[in-house]
Amino acid sequence: LERGLAGVAAAHQTTAVRDASNNLTWNLDVRRDDGRRISSRVSSLAAFWPSLLLLAGSDVGEAQMTFRGYWEIFRRFGALPELFDLDSETAVHFGKDAPLRPELAESALHLYLRTNDGHYLVVGRELINALNDDSRVACGFAAVADVDSKRLDDRMDSYFFAETLKYLFLLFDLSLEPQDRQSFFCCDERSVHR
């Protein structure tokens, strides 16, 4: 466990690029052998990184600065594109889709649980509003095929139900007083056996 936690800290130190003017941190792909940056692209899959930092015991402020970068991209597009280029400040042409991934909601949940900061409930509300406003279709929700035009794709990956909606539900359920919580995941031992 200690080696794993040390590995998270070392990986963050190697991949973190600080944007002091905007008070945020990006984690970029680097070469395994020498730690040199490969590109200026940010992957939506890496939006789990703030959660990992918290679970590894890193500083909450560092996790918040890392989250802030992904949140800024989301707010710009109303979705989190698969790939965003920091140099051109655009979604990469072959990564403009946003398949309703769970990583940003997961990090919002963990940051809320650690900080009890209502900002993360606002984040959750905005994520839900974007889903309802942009992705809702007659049979469920559709992935965004192009974040610029909001054109939808003809797909809804299984992780949307298995993870994305679960994290959003838990974010709001865990914000309630214990007696008002509805989720089995949020119950204490006494309420499970009622």
Side-chain angles (χ1 to χ4, degrees), residues 3-177:
R3 287 179 53 191
L5 297 176
V8 170
H12 186 65
Q13 184 177 359
T14 303
T15 64
V17 176
R18 305 217 187 302
D19 179 348
S21 63
N22 294 312
N23 195 31
L24 53 86
T25 300
W26 300 106
N27 292 91
L28 302 177
D29 292 338
V30 297
R31 290 170 45 120
R32 176 188 60 165
D33 298 331
D34 57 18
R36 286 189 310 171
R37 197 166 102 180
I38 294 172
S39 75
S40 60
R41 294 177 179 160
V42 176
S43 167
S44 65
L45 289 169
F48 83 99
W49 200 253
S51 289
L52 185 61
L53 289 173
L54 291 173
L55 295 171
S58 294
D59 177 61
V60 172
E62 190 65 31
Q64 290 173 313
M65 286 178 26
T66 303
F67 181 85
R68 193 172 296 122
Y70 294 101
W71 181 236
E72 289 299 318
I73 295 171
F74 178 90
R75 295 202 63 203
R76 178 176 176 177
F77 294 102
L80 192 58
E82 286 284 77
L83 289 172
F84 181 81
D85 188 271
L86 293 176
D87 291 340
S88 67
E89 296 187 3
T90 60
V92 176
H93 72 282
F94 58 84
K96 287 185 170 190
D97 60 316
L100 312 178
R101 292 197 184 280
E103 287 80 6
L104 192 63
E106 174 187 13
S107 287
L109 170 63
H110 286 122
L111 281 161
Y112 176 74
L113 292 175
R114 181 64 63 91
T115 66
N116 205 31
D117 183 342
H119 166 70
Y120 299 105
L121 297 176
V122 172
V123 166
R125 184 184 67 218
E126 289 192 34
L127 291 171
I128 290 169
N129 288 342
L131 289 170
N132 283 321
D133 294 346
D134 300 329
S135 294
R136 185 177 281 279
V137 294
C139 61
F141 293 85
V144 177
D146 184 325
V147 295
D148 290 328
S149 69
K150 290 293 196 284
R151 179 175 54 86
L152 297 179
D153 205 346
D154 187 17
R155 68 182 250 222
M156 181 181 64
D157 295 297
S158 62
Y159 55 73
F160 174 68
F161 280 116
E163 296 179 71
T164 306
L165 292 181
K166 174 184 69 179
Y167 290 128
L168 290 170
F169 177 84
L170 289 173
L171 174 63
F172 290 102
D173 205 43
L174 289 168
S175 71
L176 298 174
E177 293 298 320

